[in-house]
Amino acid sequence: VICSDKTGTLTTNQMTVVAIAYPSTAAATLKENEVTGTSYVPIGEVVGLKSPADVADLAKVCVLCNQAVIRYADGKYERVGEPTEAALKVLAEKIGVAMFSAAT
């Protein structure tokens, strides 16, 4: 499930993941973490994440089920593809999954 506010996409043509929620070890509860950083710059962190292994499956899905590419060109990061998919690739980088792909 992706919950989004389309305002950023419409005004800046960018999207950023600002929080993630996933099942906790306690029955029927969700754990939520804030995600820092903005735009497609893959710098930031998942606040309070004790181990990337806790959300490794989430990060893998964000990368493997994704056709967007984040590339560094002319001194800035830019996306090739859909804004939502690019935001999910950046999230995977912030989590620490080393599957980031770059266009040539």
Side-chain angles (χ1 to χ4, degrees):
V1 174
I2 298 173
C3 300
S4 63
D5 174 358
K6 299 296 284 178
T7 305
T9 305
L10 292 175
T11 57
T12 65
N13 203 25
Q14 292 189 356
M15 190 174 255
T16 302
V17 175
V18 296
I20 58 173
Y22 51 95
S24 177
T25 54
T29 61
L30 288 176
K31 182 163 178 123
E32 185 174 339
N33 296 90
E34 176 188 358
V35 181
T36 64
T38 59
S39 72
Y40 298 121
V41 177
I43 298 172
E45 66 176 328
V46 180
V47 178
L49 184 64
K50 292 181 177 35
S51 169
D54 292 346
V55 290
D57 290 338
L58 170 74
K60 287 177 187 174
V61 169
C62 288
V63 173
L64 297 174
C65 298
N66 193 318
Q67 296 181 358
V69 173
I70 303 295
R71 66 180 179 190
Y72 188 75
D74 298 325
K76 65 179 183 175
Y77 288 92
E78 58 186 29
R79 72 170 166 83
V80 176
E82 296 297 320
T84 303
E85 290 186 358
L88 293 174
K89 279 229 174 148
V90 172
L91 170 64
E93 274 291 297
K94 292 175 183 179
I95 290 171
V97 174
M99 293 185 200
F100 201 81
S101 40
T104 54

